[in-house]
Amino acid sequence: MSQNTLTTSEQSLDLREELNKYLRYWPWFIISVVLLVVLAFTYLRYATTVYSTSSTILIKDDKSGSTELAALEQLGVSGSGGNSIANEIGILSSRRLMENVVRALNLNVQYTAEGSVKDVELYTNSPIKLSVVQLNEEQLEKLSSAARSFQVSREGTTGVVLKPLSGSSVSGSLDSPIDLGFATVVVSYRESEISGSPFDLQVQFLPVAAVANAYRAKLNIALPDKQASLLQLSMQDNVPQKARDVLNQLVVEYNKDAIADENLVAVNTGEFIQERLDIILEDLDDVEGDIENFKEERRLTNIESEAELFLSSAQEFETRQREVGTQLELVNLMLEYLQNSDTTRTLPVNLGIEEGGVNSLIGEYNTLVLERNKVLQGSSEQNPVVMRLEDQIEALRGSINQSLLNLRNNLRVTQNDLDRQAARIDGNIRQVPANERQFRVKARNQSIKEELYLFLLEKREENALKQAINVPKAKVVDPAYGAQVVSPNRRSVLLGAILGGLLIPFGVIYIRRLLNNKIERREDIEKVTRQIPIVGELPRIVRGESDLITENDRSVLAESFRILTTNLQYLLVNAETDGKGYCIYTTSTVKGEGKTFTSINLAVTLANTGKKVVLIGADLRNPQLQRYDSQSKSLLGVSDYLVSNDHTLEKLVHDSKFHPKLKLFLSGSIPPNPSELLRQKKFGQMIAELREQFDYVIVDTAPSMLVADTFLISKYADLILYVTRAGYTEKKLLNFAVDAQNDGKLHDVSFVINDVKTANFGYGNKYGYAYGQEKPSLWERFKKSF
């Protein structure tokens, strides 16, 4: 088999063993489960049922839904960053809104009907409705709970009596105001009730703030999707209709509050816009008057048109100046030509001189010159015709010269005039940019004021329209719905009861085991050491049963000692006795662990097998064998034998009443020096002599931890039975036995566990020690489980 397989098997074994430690207490688990299940059913029967109600709303975005805020943002006044879902959640969960809900639904007045176990809240199932006309909150808060709780009952046909739990009653009539001191109320029937039917219920008045705080604590607001503005409202209450009404009314109050805020913003926005309109209108009048004065001072109508006119005139004058300048140059050329030429040459024609008289004179002059030249070809200069023509040419030449001079003077005058007019027009043109710049500044101011004025007029109309038509801020996607039971959860309560019924005994047992420093079973010893074997387990003696074994005894105690003696045979196989009897010591750590009980029953068991047995009382300080045989208390024993040589074993060892083959050698008189007596070699000689006479020598010694007596005589033993007692011996004391064996003070040590509960037997509880006996009843096994 592999190491892993062994490890798995050991773990499985450990788990089974660990479970068996708890399963042996199964009756307590059953009782605990049954008890808690009964309590769970009782709780479910009378517990107040709590229901869950939900509602879903959509919060509209302020950026698209609020015209007045948008107007302020466009004006640069509002610094709002838009709608914040976190802010809206804070508003929805505010105490102010919840107080409005409480007042709207009259939740501060609670109706309850008295039940056999618990009172039931009626809400809309109440046969009457109590309307609060006037309520003094401060006075109400000062009253005790009894003073503001009233037992309402009918009196006569139309009368009603409100009797407080403490104080005098108040009478009144239905549908009429009734003064309660702190409030004025009107009691009336609900529409579903039959007039005249009797009623008897309790009405309690609560402060609005306290009720609002209670419902605020119940309200839960969740944001299902962070990318959306959907909010899920939920509430848990013992009256589902009330929870639905609260959620629905909360949305109504939220929209009212939002509309009131929007109206307030709209009014403030309208006032702001009107103030700005008045200011801008005054500024606009000032700007327009300034433009009017500007145009009048500079005689302007339209600067752009006049500038174009100036430019056109400047171009015309420039063209005219060029024309006049050209004519003037042509005239100068003709005068220069005229002065430098003689009368035989003709004058240039068609040069572009626009003066018609000059051109005609030049043409006539050229005709005369040509005619003279033609005559000179056939005659001389003395020819009268030539002379006449010469005179005419000279005269005409003078006329042309004078005409050109006059024309030049005229052209110069015209040119100067054109230069003056052109300079004036140029000056006007030069003034156009400055005028235009100044005009544009004034016109720009006028345009800005006009645009702002028109913009504010538009926003004023939009704001007025928005104020007239207000849209709720929260759109109800799903109204309050659902009445799912949240508490108590039957399945969870019953399952919790079953688990609690299992865990409570488990916890008690676990804590008990955890805090228990005493050994209870063989595993407690095996955890400390495995080098010292456990040779037997002795059961707890039930009160009324004998603690001594008898002949042919079939009790569990007898069977335990039979198993013990059988185990002893395997431990004594290697003992060297040279044909003599075996010497077995019984000791313990402290007194009270049952070593004497173990010694005498072990001796009786061995005697029942036909062996000759002697039981020695070696606890010289606190002898206990005498309590099993009261008649032998005065007999001499071991101490007397060790002190005096006058006594022989034959005289001191006497018969016992327990069995014919069992002899007793009691401790005798209590000596002042037990340790010195036990150190004598005579004790060893005594043991050796008795071993020759008996098959078994059982020595009941003193507790090992308290005195050293057992250590002094341990060398004479073939086997030492170290008795421990369940529920008595501390676990840490086991180390004393281990250390004593390791140090050589004790040898061949084997543990015996005494007073073990039947439930803690290593094997007996599972397979049964009382083989052949009748099976004990369930109640008996239940009692033995603890």
Side-chain angles (χ1 to χ4, degrees), residues 29 34 75 89-90 117 125 230 233 271 289 315 330 337 374 478 488 554 573 584 599 636 642 675 678 687 729 746:
F29 285 91
V34 171
L75 289 172
I89 292 176
V117 176
N125 296 328
L230 284 172
L233 312 180
E271 294 177 354
Q315 291 177 356
L330 291 176
Y337 184 81
K374 185 182 291 185
D478 290 320
R554 297 181 59 189
V573 169
I584 301 174
S599 300
L636 300 179
L642 296 176
S675 299
L678 295 176
I687 295 296
T729 303
L746 299 177

Side-chain angles (χ1 to χ4, degrees), residues 310 314 419-435:
F310 288 152
D419 289 340
R420 286 193 303 272
Q421 294 185 21
R424 182 177 60 80
I425 292 175
D426 185 62
N428 291 334
I429 293 174
R430 290 178 182 276
Q431 291 178 356
V432 167
N435 292 334

Side-chain angles (χ1 to χ4, degrees), residues 371-425:
E371 183 179 355
R372 187 200 64 180
N373 291 338
K374 185 182 291 185
V375 172
L376 284 176
Q377 290 179 356
S379 64
S380 65
E381 295 181 352
Q382 299 299 323
N383 187 341
V385 175
V386 172
M387 292 179 64
R388 182 177 55 80
L389 290 173
E390 285 286 346
D391 292 338
Q392 291 179 348
I393 290 172
E394 286 293 338
L396 192 56
R397 187 181 181 92
S399 296
I400 293 172
N401 185 52
Q402 186 62 43
S403 296
L404 289 174
L405 291 174
N406 293 333
L407 180 58
R408 185 175 66 179
N409 291 332
N410 293 334
L411 289 175
R412 285 178 177 174
V413 172
T414 301
Q415 187 179 34
N416 292 332
D417 183 56
L418 290 174
D419 289 340
R420 286 193 303 272
Q421 294 185 21
R424 182 177 60 80
I425 292 175

Side-chain angles (χ1 to χ4, degrees), residues 252-369:
V252 172
E253 296 296 332
Y254 172 78
N255 284 330
K256 286 182 180 179
D257 186 71
I259 290 174
D261 289 344
E262 289 179 359
N263 286 339
L264 179 61
V265 173
V267 170
N268 293 336
T269 302
E271 294 177 354
F272 170 77
I273 291 175
Q274 188 59 46
E275 290 176 1
R276 297 304 302 170
L277 280 173
D278 296 339
I279 295 172
I280 292 172
L281 184 60
E282 293 179 1
D283 294 343
L284 188 60
D285 291 339
D286 295 340
V287 170
E288 289 178 346
D290 189 21
I291 291 176
E292 182 179 355
N293 295 332
F294 178 78
K295 288 184 176 181
E296 289 179 352
E297 290 175 358
R298 288 166 176 76
R299 298 179 180 180
L300 300 175
T301 55
N302 190 319
I303 293 179
E304 293 182 355
S305 300
E306 291 181 355
E308 292 178 358
L309 181 61
F310 288 152
L311 290 175
S312 176
S313 299
Q315 291 177 356
E316 293 178 358
F317 278 106
E318 185 179 355
T319 302
R320 183 64 179 153
Q321 283 176 323
R322 286 197 302 269
E323 293 176 352
V324 171
T326 302
Q327 292 296 316
L328 187 59
E329 289 296 327
L330 291 176
V331 170
N332 290 329
L333 288 175
M334 286 298 294
L335 287 173
E336 184 180 357
Y337 184 81
L338 185 62
Q339 292 175 0
N340 295 328
S341 64
D342 54 16
T343 57
T344 61
R345 299 178 63 183
T346 60
L347 297 175
V349 294
N350 298 328
L351 289 178
I353 297 175
E354 296 179 353
E355 180 61 34
V358 175
N359 289 328
S360 63
L361 289 175
I362 292 174
E364 186 178 353
Y365 174 83
N366 289 335
T367 301
L368 291 176
V369 170

